[in-house]
Structure formats: C-alpha cells, structure tokens
Coordinates of all heavy atoms in Angstrom, one line a residue:
M1 N 18.2 -16.2 7.0 CA 17.2 -15.3 7.4 C 15.9 -15.8 6.7 O 15.8 -16.0 5.5 CB 17.5 -13.9 6.9 CG 16.3 -13.0 7.1 SD 16.6 -11.4 7.7 CE 18.2 -11.5 8.6
G2 N 14.9 -16.2 7.4 CA 13.7 -16.7 6.9 C 12.5 -15.8 6.9 O 12.6 -14.8 7.6
R3 N 11.5 -16.0 6.1 CA 10.4 -15.1 6.0 C 9.1 -16.0 5.9 O 9.2 -17.1 5.4 CB 10.4 -14.2 4.8 CG 11.6 -13.2 4.9 CD 11.3 -12.1 6.0 NE 12.4 -11.1 6.0 CZ 13.3 -11.1 7.0 NH1 13.3 -12.0 7.9 NH2 14.1 -10.1 7.0
W4 N 7.9 -15.5 6.3 CA 6.7 -16.2 6.2 C 6.1 -15.9 4.8 O 6.2 -14.8 4.3 CB 5.7 -15.7 7.2 CG 6.0 -16.1 8.6 CD1 6.7 -15.3 9.6 CD2 5.8 -17.4 9.2 NE1 6.8 -16.1 10.7 CE2 6.3 -17.3 10.5 CE3 5.2 -18.5 8.8 CZ2 6.3 -18.4 11.4 CZ3 5.2 -19.6 9.7 CH2 5.7 -19.5 10.9
H5 N 5.4 -16.9 4.3 CA 4.7 -16.8 3.0 C 3.3 -17.3 3.2 O 3.1 -18.4 3.6 CB 5.4 -17.5 1.9 CG 4.6 -17.6 0.7 ND1 4.3 -16.6 -0.1 CD2 4.0 -18.7 0.1 CE1 3.5 -17.0 -1.1 NE2 3.3 -18.3 -1.0
F6 N 2.2 -16.5 2.9 CA 0.8 -16.9 3.1 C 0.2 -17.1 1.7 O 0.5 -16.3 0.8 CB 0.0 -15.8 3.7 CG 0.4 -15.5 5.1 CD1 1.5 -14.7 5.4 CD2 -0.3 -16.1 6.2 CE1 1.9 -14.4 6.7 CE2 0.1 -15.8 7.5 CZ 1.2 -14.9 7.7
F7 N -0.5 -18.2 1.5 CA -1.2 -18.3 0.2 C -2.5 -19.1 0.4 O -2.7 -19.8 1.4 CB -0.4 -19.0 -0.8 CG 0.2 -20.3 -0.5 CD1 -0.4 -21.5 -1.0 CD2 1.3 -20.4 0.4 CE1 0.1 -22.7 -0.6 CE2 1.8 -21.7 0.7 CZ 1.2 -22.8 0.2
G8 N -3.4 -19.0 -0.5 CA -4.7 -19.7 -0.4 C -5.7 -18.7 0.2 O -5.4 -17.6 0.5
S9 N -6.9 -19.2 0.5 CA -7.9 -18.3 1.1 C -8.9 -19.2 1.9 O -9.1 -20.4 1.6 CB -8.7 -17.5 0.1 OG -9.4 -18.4 -0.8
G10 N -9.5 -18.6 2.9 CA -10.5 -19.3 3.7 C -9.9 -20.6 4.4 O -8.8 -20.5 4.9
A11 N -10.6 -21.7 4.3 CA -10.2 -22.9 4.9 C -8.9 -23.5 4.3 O -8.2 -24.2 5.0 CB -11.3 -24.0 4.8
S12 N -8.6 -23.1 3.1 CA -7.4 -23.6 2.4 C -6.2 -22.8 2.6 O -5.2 -23.0 2.0 CB -7.7 -23.8 0.9 OG -7.9 -22.6 0.3
M13 N -6.3 -21.7 3.4 CA -5.2 -20.8 3.6 C -4.0 -21.6 4.3 O -4.2 -22.3 5.3 CB -5.5 -19.6 4.4 CG -4.3 -18.7 4.6 SD -4.8 -17.1 5.5 CE -4.9 -16.1 4.1
R14 N -2.8 -21.4 3.7 CA -1.7 -22.0 4.3 C -0.6 -21.0 4.5 O -0.6 -20.0 3.8 CB -1.2 -23.1 3.4 CG -2.2 -24.3 3.2 CD -1.6 -25.3 2.3 NE -1.6 -24.9 1.0 CZ -1.0 -25.5 0.0 NH1 -0.5 -26.7 0.2 NH2 -1.0 -25.0 -1.2
I15 N 0.4 -21.3 5.4 CA 1.5 -20.4 5.6 C 2.8 -21.2 5.3 O 2.9 -22.4 5.7 CB 1.5 -20.0 7.1 CG1 0.3 -19.2 7.4 CG2 2.8 -19.1 7.3 CD1 0.2 -18.9 8.9
R16 N 3.7 -20.6 4.6 CA 5.0 -21.3 4.3 C 6.1 -20.3 4.8 O 6.1 -19.2 4.4 CB 5.1 -21.5 2.8 CG 6.4 -22.3 2.5 CD 6.5 -22.6 1.0 NE 5.4 -23.5 0.6 CZ 5.1 -23.7 -0.6 NH1 5.8 -23.1 -1.6 NH2 4.2 -24.5 -0.9
F17 N 7.0 -20.8 5.6 CA 8.1 -20.1 6.0 C 9.3 -20.4 5.1 O 9.6 -21.6 4.9 CB 8.5 -20.5 7.4 CG 9.6 -19.8 8.1 CD1 9.4 -18.5 8.5 CD2 10.9 -20.3 8.2 CE1 10.5 -17.8 9.1 CE2 11.9 -19.7 8.8 CZ 11.7 -18.4 9.2
V18 N 9.8 -19.4 4.4 CA 10.8 -19.7 3.4 C 12.1 -18.9 3.7 O 12.1 -17.7 4.0 CB 10.3 -19.2 2.0 CG1 11.3 -19.5 0.9 CG2 9.0 -19.9 1.7
F19 N 13.2 -19.6 3.6 CA 14.5 -18.9 3.7 C 14.8 -18.2 2.4 O 14.7 -18.8 1.3 CB 15.6 -19.9 4.0 CG 15.6 -20.4 5.4 CD1 14.9 -21.5 5.8 CD2 16.2 -19.7 6.5 CE1 14.8 -22.0 7.1 CE2 16.1 -20.1 7.8 CZ 15.4 -21.2 8.1
L20 N 15.3 -17.0 2.5 CA 15.5 -16.2 1.3 C 16.5 -16.8 0.4 O 16.4 -16.7 -0.8 CB 16.0 -14.8 1.7 CG 15.0 -13.9 2.4 CD1 15.7 -12.5 2.8 CD2 13.8 -13.6 1.5
E21 N 17.5 -17.6 0.9 CA 18.5 -18.2 0.1 C 17.9 -19.2 -0.9 O 18.5 -19.6 -1.9 CB 19.6 -18.9 0.9 CG 20.4 -17.9 1.7 CD 19.8 -17.5 3.0 OE1 18.7 -17.9 3.3 OE2 20.5 -16.7 3.8
F22 N 16.7 -19.7 -0.6 CA 16.1 -20.8 -1.4 C 15.0 -20.3 -2.3 O 14.3 -21.2 -2.9 CB 15.5 -21.9 -0.5 CG 16.6 -22.5 0.4 CD1 16.6 -22.3 1.8 CD2 17.7 -23.2 -0.1 CE1 17.5 -22.8 2.6 CE2 18.7 -23.7 0.7 CZ 18.6 -23.5 2.0
V23 N 14.8 -19.0 -2.5 CA 13.6 -18.6 -3.3 C 14.0 -18.1 -4.7 O 13.2 -17.6 -5.4 CB 12.8 -17.4 -2.6 CG1 12.2 -17.9 -1.3 CG2 13.7 -16.2 -2.4
Y24 N 15.3 -18.3 -5.1 CA 15.7 -18.0 -6.5 C 14.8 -18.9 -7.4 O 14.6 -20.0 -7.2 CB 17.1 -18.3 -6.7 CG 18.1 -17.4 -6.0 CD1 18.6 -17.7 -4.8 CD2 18.4 -16.2 -6.6 CE1 19.5 -16.8 -4.1 CE2 19.3 -15.3 -5.9 CZ 19.8 -15.6 -4.7 OH 20.6 -14.8 -4.0
Y25 N 14.3 -18.2 -8.5 CA 13.5 -18.9 -9.5 C 12.1 -19.4 -9.0 O 11.5 -20.2 -9.7 CB 14.2 -20.0 -10.2 CG 15.6 -19.6 -10.6 CD1 16.8 -20.1 -10.0 CD2 15.8 -18.7 -11.6 CE1 18.0 -19.7 -10.4 CE2 17.1 -18.3 -12.0 CZ 18.2 -18.8 -11.4 OH 19.4 -18.4 -11.8
V26 N 11.7 -19.0 -7.8 CA 10.4 -19.4 -7.3 C 9.6 -18.1 -7.1 O 10.1 -17.2 -6.5 CB 10.5 -20.2 -6.0 CG1 9.1 -20.6 -5.5 CG2 11.3 -21.4 -6.2
Y27 N 8.3 -18.1 -7.5 CA 7.5 -16.9 -7.3 C 6.3 -17.2 -6.5 O 5.8 -18.4 -6.5 CB 7.1 -16.3 -8.7 CG 8.2 -15.9 -9.5 CD1 8.9 -16.7 -10.3 CD2 8.7 -14.6 -9.4 CE1 10.0 -16.3 -11.0 CE2 9.8 -14.1 -10.1 CZ 10.5 -15.0 -10.9 OH 11.5 -14.5 -11.6
F28 N 5.8 -16.3 -5.7 CA 4.6 -16.4 -4.8 C 3.6 -15.3 -5.1 O 4.0 -14.2 -5.4 CB 5.1 -16.4 -3.4 CG 6.2 -17.4 -3.0 CD1 7.5 -17.0 -3.0 CD2 5.9 -18.7 -2.8 CE1 8.5 -17.9 -2.7 CE2 6.9 -19.6 -2.5 CZ 8.2 -19.2 -2.4
P29 N 2.3 -15.6 -4.9 CA 1.3 -14.6 -5.1 C 1.5 -13.4 -4.1 O 1.4 -12.3 -4.5 CB 0.0 -15.3 -4.8 CG 0.3 -16.8 -4.9 CD 1.7 -16.9 -4.6
N30 N 1.8 -13.8 -2.8 CA 1.9 -12.8 -1.8 C 3.2 -13.0 -1.0 O 3.5 -14.1 -0.7 CB 0.8 -12.8 -0.8 CG -0.6 -12.6 -1.5 OD1 -0.8 -11.6 -2.1 ND2 -1.4 -13.7 -1.4
V31 N 4.0 -12.0 -0.8 CA 5.2 -12.1 0.0 C 5.2 -11.1 1.1 O 4.8 -9.9 0.9 CB 6.4 -11.8 -0.9 CG1 7.7 -11.8 -0.1 CG2 6.5 -12.9 -2.0
F32 N 5.5 -11.5 2.3 CA 5.6 -10.7 3.5 C 7.0 -10.7 4.0 O 7.5 -11.7 4.3 CB 4.7 -11.2 4.6 CG 3.2 -11.1 4.3 CD1 2.6 -12.1 3.5 CD2 2.4 -10.1 4.8 CE1 1.3 -12.0 3.2 CE2 1.1 -10.0 4.5 CZ 0.5 -11.0 3.7
L33 N 7.6 -9.5 4.0 CA 9.0 -9.4 4.5 C 8.8 -8.7 5.9 O 8.4 -7.5 5.9 CB 9.9 -8.5 3.6 CG 10.2 -9.1 2.3 CD1 11.0 -8.2 1.4 CD2 10.9 -10.5 2.4
C34 N 9.2 -9.4 6.9 CA 9.0 -8.8 8.3 C 10.3 -8.6 8.9 O 11.3 -9.2 8.6 CB 8.2 -9.8 9.2 SG 6.7 -10.3 8.4
G35 N 10.4 -7.6 9.8 CA 11.6 -7.3 10.5 C 12.6 -6.6 9.7 O 13.8 -6.8 9.8
M36 N 12.1 -5.7 8.8 CA 13.0 -4.9 8.0 C 13.6 -3.7 8.7 O 13.2 -2.6 8.4 CB 12.3 -4.5 6.7 CG 11.8 -5.7 5.9 SD 13.2 -6.8 5.3 CE 13.9 -5.8 4.0
E37 N 14.5 -4.0 9.7 CA 15.1 -3.0 10.5 C 16.6 -3.1 10.5 O 17.1 -4.3 10.4 CB 14.6 -3.1 12.0 CG 13.1 -3.1 12.1 CD 12.6 -4.0 13.2 OE1 13.3 -4.2 14.2 OE2 11.5 -4.6 13.1
D38 N 17.3 -2.0 10.6 CA 18.7 -2.1 10.6 C 19.1 -3.0 11.9 O 18.6 -2.8 12.9 CB 19.4 -0.7 10.8 CG 19.5 0.0 9.5 OD1 19.3 -0.6 8.4 OD2 19.8 1.2 9.5
G39 N 20.0 -3.9 11.7 CA 20.4 -4.8 12.7 C 19.7 -6.1 12.6 O 20.3 -7.1 13.1
L40 N 18.6 -6.2 12.0 CA 17.9 -7.5 11.7 C 18.1 -7.8 10.3 O 18.5 -8.9 9.9 CB 16.4 -7.4 12.1 CG 16.0 -7.4 13.5 CD1 14.5 -7.3 13.7 CD2 16.6 -8.6 14.2
F41 N 17.7 -6.9 9.4 CA 17.9 -7.1 8.0 C 18.3 -5.7 7.3 O 17.4 -4.9 7.2 CB 16.7 -7.7 7.3 CG 17.0 -8.2 6.0 CD1 17.5 -9.5 5.9 CD2 16.8 -7.5 4.8 CE1 17.8 -10.1 4.6 CE2 17.1 -8.1 3.6 CZ 17.6 -9.3 3.5
P42 N 19.5 -5.4 7.0 CA 20.6 -6.3 7.1 C 21.1 -6.5 8.6 O 20.8 -5.7 9.4 CB 21.7 -5.6 6.3 CG 21.3 -4.1 6.4 CD 19.8 -4.1 6.5
G43 N 21.7 -7.6 8.8 CA 22.2 -8.0 10.1 C 23.2 -7.1 10.6 O 24.0 -6.4 9.9
Y44 N 23.3 -7.0 11.9 CA 24.2 -6.1 12.6 C 25.7 -6.4 12.2 O 26.5 -5.5 12.0 CB 24.1 -6.2 14.1 CG 25.0 -5.4 14.9 CD1 24.9 -4.0 15.0 CD2 26.1 -5.9 15.5 CE1 25.8 -3.2 15.7 CE2 27.1 -5.2 16.2 CZ 26.9 -3.8 16.3 OH 27.8 -3.0 17.0
M45 N 26.0 -7.7 12.1 CA 27.4 -8.0 11.8 C 27.7 -7.6 10.4 O 28.9 -7.2 10.1 CB 27.6 -9.5 11.9 CG 27.4 -10.0 13.4 SD 28.5 -9.2 14.5 CE 30.1 -10.0 14.1
S46 N 26.8 -7.6 9.5 CA 27.0 -7.2 8.1 C 27.2 -5.7 8.0 O 28.1 -5.2 7.3 CB 25.9 -7.6 7.2 OG 25.8 -9.0 7.1
I47 N 26.4 -4.9 8.8 CA 26.5 -3.5 8.8 C 27.9 -3.1 9.4 O 28.5 -2.1 8.9 CB 25.4 -2.9 9.7 CG1 24.0 -3.1 9.0 CG2 25.6 -1.4 9.9 CD1 22.8 -2.7 9.9
M48 N 28.4 -3.7 10.4 CA 29.6 -3.3 11.1 C 30.8 -3.9 10.5 O 32.0 -3.5 10.8 CB 29.6 -3.8 12.6 CG 28.4 -3.2 13.4 SD 28.2 -1.4 13.1 CE 29.6 -0.8 14.1
S49 N 30.7 -4.8 9.5 CA 31.8 -5.5 8.9 C 32.6 -4.5 8.0 O 32.1 -3.6 7.4 CB 31.3 -6.7 8.0 OG 32.4 -7.2 7.3
D50 N 33.9 -4.8 8.0 CA 34.8 -4.0 7.1 C 34.7 -4.5 5.7 O 35.0 -3.8 4.7 CB 36.3 -4.1 7.6 CG 36.5 -3.5 8.9 OD1 35.8 -2.5 9.2 OD2 37.4 -3.9 9.6
D51 N 34.1 -5.7 5.5 CA 34.0 -6.2 4.2 C 32.6 -5.9 3.6 O 31.6 -6.4 4.1 CB 34.1 -7.8 4.2 CG 34.0 -8.4 2.9 OD1 34.0 -7.7 1.9 OD2 33.9 -9.7 2.9
N52 N 32.5 -5.0 2.6 CA 31.3 -4.6 2.0 C 30.5 -5.7 1.3 O 29.3 -5.6 1.0 CB 31.5 -3.4 1.0 CG 31.8 -2.1 1.7 OD1 31.4 -2.0 2.9 ND2 32.4 -1.2 1.0
E53 N 31.2 -6.8 1.0 CA 30.6 -7.9 0.3 C 29.5 -8.5 1.2 O 28.5 -9.0 0.6 CB 31.6 -9.0 -0.1 CG 32.4 -8.6 -1.3 CD 31.5 -8.5 -2.5 OE1 30.7 -9.3 -2.8 OE2 31.7 -7.5 -3.2
E54 N 29.6 -8.5 2.5 CA 28.6 -9.1 3.3 C 27.3 -8.3 3.2 O 26.2 -8.8 3.1 CB 29.1 -9.2 4.8 CG 30.1 -10.2 5.0 CD 30.6 -10.2 6.5 OE1 29.7 -10.0 7.4 OE2 31.8 -10.4 6.7
L55 N 27.4 -7.0 3.3 CA 26.3 -6.1 3.2 C 25.7 -6.2 1.8 O 24.4 -6.2 1.6 CB 26.7 -4.6 3.5 CG 25.5 -3.6 3.6 CD1 24.5 -4.1 4.7 CD2 26.1 -2.3 3.9
E56 N 26.5 -6.3 0.8 CA 26.0 -6.4 -0.6 C 25.2 -7.7 -0.8 O 24.2 -7.8 -1.5 CB 27.1 -6.3 -1.6 CG 27.7 -4.9 -1.8 CD 26.6 -3.9 -2.2 OE1 25.8 -4.2 -3.1 OE2 26.5 -2.8 -1.6
E57 N 25.6 -8.8 -0.1 CA 24.9 -10.1 -0.2 C 23.5 -10.0 0.4 O 22.6 -10.5 -0.1 CB 25.7 -11.2 0.4 CG 25.0 -12.5 0.4 CD 24.7 -13.1 -0.9 OE1 25.4 -12.7 -1.9 OE2 23.8 -13.9 -1.0
E58 N 23.4 -9.3 1.5 CA 22.1 -9.1 2.1 C 21.2 -8.2 1.3 O 20.0 -8.4 1.2 CB 22.3 -8.5 3.5 CG 23.0 -9.5 4.5 CD 22.5 -9.4 5.9 OE1 21.3 -9.0 6.1 OE2 23.3 -9.7 6.8
R59 N 21.8 -7.2 0.6 CA 21.0 -6.4 -0.3 C 20.5 -7.2 -1.5 O 19.4 -7.1 -2.0 CB 21.9 -5.2 -0.8 CG 22.0 -4.2 0.2 CD 22.7 -2.9 -0.4 NE 22.7 -1.9 0.6 CZ 23.8 -1.1 0.8 NH1 24.8 -1.3 0.1 NH2 23.7 -0.2 1.8
R60 N 21.4 -8.1 -2.0 CA 21.0 -9.0 -3.1 C 19.8 -9.9 -2.6 O 18.8 -10.1 -3.4 CB 22.1 -9.9 -3.6 CG 23.1 -9.1 -4.5 CD 24.1 -10.1 -5.1 NE 25.1 -10.5 -4.2 CZ 26.2 -9.9 -3.9 NH1 26.5 -8.7 -4.6 NH2 27.1 -10.3 -3.1
L61 N 19.9 -10.4 -1.4 CA 18.8 -11.3 -0.9 C 17.5 -10.5 -0.8 O 16.4 -11.0 -1.1 CB 19.2 -11.9 0.5 CG 20.2 -13.0 0.4 CD1 20.6 -13.4 1.9 CD2 19.7 -14.2 -0.3
C62 N 17.6 -9.3 -0.3 CA 16.4 -8.4 -0.2 C 15.8 -8.2 -1.6 O 14.6 -8.3 -1.8 CB 16.8 -7.1 0.4 SG 15.4 -6.0 0.8
Y63 N 16.6 -7.9 -2.6 CA 16.1 -7.7 -3.9 C 15.4 -9.0 -4.5 O 14.3 -8.9 -5.0 CB 17.3 -7.3 -4.9 CG 16.9 -7.3 -6.3 CD1 16.3 -6.1 -6.8 CD2 17.1 -8.3 -7.2 CE1 15.9 -6.0 -8.1 CE2 16.7 -8.3 -8.5 CZ 16.1 -7.1 -9.0 OH 15.7 -7.1 -10.3
V64 N 16.0 -10.1 -4.2 CA 15.4 -11.4 -4.7 C 14.1 -11.6 -4.0 O 13.1 -11.9 -4.6 CB 16.3 -12.6 -4.4 CG1 15.6 -13.9 -4.5 CG2 17.6 -12.5 -5.3
A65 N 14.0 -11.3 -2.7 CA 12.7 -11.5 -2.0 C 11.7 -10.5 -2.5 O 10.5 -10.9 -2.7 CB 12.9 -11.2 -0.5
I66 N 12.0 -9.3 -2.8 CA 11.1 -8.3 -3.3 C 10.6 -8.8 -4.7 O 9.4 -8.7 -5.0 CB 11.7 -6.9 -3.4 CG1 11.9 -6.4 -2.0 CG2 10.9 -6.0 -4.2 CD1 12.7 -5.1 -1.9
T67 N 11.4 -9.3 -5.5 CA 11.0 -9.6 -6.9 C 10.3 -11.0 -7.0 O 9.8 -11.4 -8.0 CB 12.3 -9.7 -7.8 OG1 13.2 -10.6 -7.3 CG2 12.9 -8.3 -7.9
R68 N 10.2 -11.7 -5.9 CA 9.4 -13.0 -5.9 C 7.9 -12.8 -5.8 O 7.2 -13.7 -6.0 CB 9.9 -13.9 -4.7 CG 11.3 -14.3 -4.7 CD 11.8 -14.9 -6.0 NE 12.4 -13.9 -6.8 CZ 12.9 -14.1 -8.0 NH1 12.9 -15.3 -8.5 NH2 13.5 -13.1 -8.6
A69 N 7.5 -11.6 -5.4 CA 6.1 -11.3 -5.3 C 5.4 -11.1 -6.6 O 5.8 -10.2 -7.4 CB 5.8 -10.1 -4.4
M70 N 4.4 -11.9 -6.9 CA 3.7 -11.8 -8.2 C 2.6 -10.8 -8.1 O 2.3 -10.1 -9.1 CB 3.1 -13.2 -8.6 CG 4.2 -14.2 -8.9 SD 3.5 -15.8 -9.6 CE 2.1 -16.1 -8.6
K71 N 1.9 -10.7 -7.0 CA 0.7 -9.8 -6.9 C 0.9 -8.8 -5.8 O 0.6 -7.6 -6.0 CB -0.6 -10.6 -6.6 CG -1.0 -11.5 -7.7 CD -2.3 -12.2 -7.3 CE -2.7 -13.1 -8.5 NZ -3.9 -13.8 -8.1
K72 N 1.3 -9.2 -4.6 CA 1.3 -8.3 -3.5 C 2.6 -8.5 -2.6 O 3.0 -9.6 -2.3 CB 0.1 -8.5 -2.6 CG 0.0 -7.5 -1.4 CD -1.3 -7.7 -0.6 CE -1.4 -6.8 0.5 NZ -2.5 -7.0 1.3
L73 N 3.3 -7.4 -2.3 CA 4.4 -7.4 -1.4 C 4.1 -6.5 -0.2 O 3.7 -5.4 -0.3 CB 5.6 -6.8 -2.2 CG 6.9 -6.6 -1.3 CD1 7.5 -7.9 -0.8 CD2 7.9 -5.8 -2.1
T74 N 4.3 -7.1 1.0 CA 4.1 -6.3 2.2 C 5.5 -6.3 3.0 O 6.0 -7.4 3.2 CB 3.1 -7.0 3.1 OG1 1.8 -7.0 2.4 CG2 2.8 -6.2 4.4
I75 N 5.9 -5.1 3.3 CA 7.2 -5.0 4.1 C 6.8 -4.3 5.4 O 6.2 -3.3 5.4 CB 8.2 -4.1 3.3 CG1 8.6 -4.8 2.0 CG2 9.5 -3.9 4.1 CD1 9.4 -3.9 1.1
S76 N 7.3 -5.0 6.5 CA 6.9 -4.4 7.8 C 8.2 -4.3 8.7 O 9.2 -5.0 8.4 CB 5.9 -5.3 8.5 OG 6.4 -6.5 8.8
Y77 N 8.0 -3.5 9.7 CA 9.1 -3.4 10.7 C 8.5 -3.0 12.0 O 7.3 -2.6 12.1 CB 10.1 -2.3 10.3 CG 9.5 -0.9 10.3 CD1 9.7 0.0 11.3 CD2 8.7 -0.4 9.2 CE1 9.1 1.2 11.3 CE2 8.2 0.8 9.2 CZ 8.4 1.7 10.3 OH 7.8 2.9 10.3
A78 N 9.2 -3.1 13.1 CA 8.8 -2.7 14.4 C 9.5 -1.4 14.8 O 10.7 -1.3 14.7 CB 9.1 -3.8 15.5
K79 N 8.7 -0.4 15.3 CA 9.3 0.8 15.7 C 10.1 0.6 17.0 O 11.1 1.2 17.3 CB 8.3 1.9 16.0 CG 7.7 2.4 14.7 CD 6.7 3.5 15.0 CE 6.1 4.0 13.7 NZ 5.1 5.0 13.9
K80 N 9.6 -0.4 17.8 CA 10.3 -0.7 19.0 C 10.0 -2.2 19.4 O 9.0 -2.7 19.0 CB 10.0 0.2 20.2 CG 8.5 0.0 20.7 CD 8.3 1.0 21.8 CE 6.8 0.8 22.3 NZ 6.5 1.7 23.5
R81 N 11.0 -2.8 20.1 CA 10.8 -4.2 20.5 C 11.6 -4.5 21.7 O 12.5 -3.8 22.0 CB 11.1 -5.2 19.4 CG 12.6 -5.3 19.0 CD 12.9 -6.4 18.0 NE 12.4 -6.1 16.7 CZ 11.7 -6.9 16.0 NH1 11.4 -8.1 16.5 NH2 11.3 -6.6 14.8
M82 N 11.1 -5.5 22.5 CA 11.9 -5.9 23.7 C 13.0 -6.9 23.3 O 12.7 -7.9 22.7 CB 10.9 -6.5 24.7 CG 9.9 -5.6 25.3 SD 10.6 -4.3 26.3 CE 11.1 -5.3 27.7
V83 N 14.2 -6.5 23.7 CA 15.3 -7.4 23.5 C 16.0 -7.6 24.8 O 16.5 -6.6 25.4 CB 16.3 -6.8 22.5 CG1 17.5 -7.6 22.3 CG2 15.6 -6.5 21.1
R84 N 16.1 -8.8 25.3 CA 16.7 -9.1 26.6 C 16.2 -8.2 27.7 O 16.9 -7.7 28.5 CB 18.2 -9.0 26.5 CG 18.8 -10.1 25.6 CD 20.4 -9.9 25.6 NE 20.9 -10.3 24.3 CZ 21.0 -9.6 23.2 NH1 20.5 -8.4 23.2 NH2 21.5 -10.0 22.1
G85 N 14.9 -8.0 27.7 CA 14.2 -7.2 28.8 C 14.3 -5.7 28.7 O 13.9 -5.0 29.5
E86 N 14.9 -5.2 27.6 CA 15.1 -3.8 27.4 C 14.4 -3.4 26.1 O 14.4 -4.1 25.1 CB 16.5 -3.4 27.3 CG 17.3 -3.6 28.6 CD 18.7 -3.2 28.5 OE1 19.1 -2.5 27.5 OE2 19.5 -3.5 29.4
T87 N 13.8 -2.2 26.1 CA 13.1 -1.7 24.9 C 14.1 -1.2 24.0 O 15.0 -0.4 24.4 CB 12.1 -0.5 25.3 OG1 11.1 -1.0 26.2 CG2 11.4 0.0 24.1
Q88 N 14.1 -1.6 22.8 CA 15.0 -1.2 21.7 C 14.2 -0.4 20.7 O 13.2 -0.9 20.2 CB 15.6 -2.4 21.1 CG 16.5 -2.2 19.9 CD 17.1 -3.5 19.4 OE1 17.2 -4.5 20.0 NE2 17.4 -3.4 18.1
Y89 N 14.6 0.8 20.3 CA 14.0 1.6 19.3 C 14.7 1.3 18.0 O 16.0 1.4 17.9 CB 13.9 3.0 19.7 CG 13.1 3.3 20.8 CD1 13.6 3.2 22.2 CD2 11.7 3.5 20.7 CE1 12.7 3.4 23.3 CE2 10.9 3.7 21.8 CZ 11.4 3.6 23.1 OH 10.6 3.8 24.2
N90 N 14.0 1.0 16.9 CA 14.6 0.6 15.7 C 14.5 1.6 14.6 O 13.6 2.4 14.5 CB 13.9 -0.7 15.2 CG 14.0 -1.8 16.3 OD1 15.1 -2.0 16.8 ND2 12.9 -2.3 16.6
V91 N 15.5 1.6 13.7 CA 15.6 2.4 12.5 C 15.1 1.5 11.3 O 15.6 0.4 11.2 CB 17.0 2.9 12.3 CG1 17.1 3.7 11.0 CG2 17.4 3.7 13.4
V92 N 14.3 2.0 10.5 CA 13.8 1.3 9.3 C 15.0 1.0 8.4 O 15.8 1.9 8.2 CB 12.7 2.1 8.5 CG1 12.3 1.3 7.3 CG2 11.6 2.4 9.4
S93 N 15.1 -0.2 7.9 CA 16.2 -0.6 7.0 C 16.0 0.1 5.7 O 14.9 0.2 5.1 CB 16.2 -2.1 6.8 OG 17.1 -2.4 5.8
I94 N 17.1 0.6 5.1 CA 17.1 1.2 3.8 C 17.7 0.2 2.8 O 18.1 0.6 1.7 CB 17.8 2.5 3.8 CG1 19.3 2.4 4.3 CG2 17.1 3.6 4.6 CD1 20.1 3.6 4.1
C95 N 17.9 -1.0 3.2 CA 18.5 -2.0 2.4 C 17.9 -2.2 1.1 O 16.9 -2.3 0.7 CB 18.6 -3.3 3.1 SG 19.6 -4.6 2.3

C-alpha cells in the first residue's frame, strides 16, 4: 500500500510516493494518508480474514505511517467513489 508525500515549497515542491513498508526509521515534514476507508485500508481481505495477524499488521503499518510525520499529518477518505461503474459508499477506517 503506497502513499504520496509532498515536500518543499514553490518551484522546488516535489512529490514522493512511498510504500508504507519502507518508511521505518524515515521521517517526513508532511505526511498525507489517503484512502483511509474500510476495505482500502485496512484491506478487505484483512478485514474478512480469520487470521487476526493480517489485520494487526495493517494496524502496525498505519501506526508507522502516522508517526513518520514531523510537522503535519493529513488523513483523508472518500465518502463515496465509483468502483466498476457503480457508486460505492464508504465507511471511515478506524484502523
């Protein structure tokens, strides 16, 4: 599961897409976590799994992502989105 990372300002602003698995021990000024909806994060397969370890691993990744923000953390979600031509209404993740 990857996330966008923005840093810099004005003409020097850059965007970095980072996979959560690779951000251990790395900190960023601003962190944006997008798609924080049940079924996306944590993933549907983890939610439906009989093995709680899968869900716990996604929670650990979420914790790591949150703690990587040095100054600002933004968490966003979509109330609804189009999936395969159908409108899907989403529940905010409590992960």
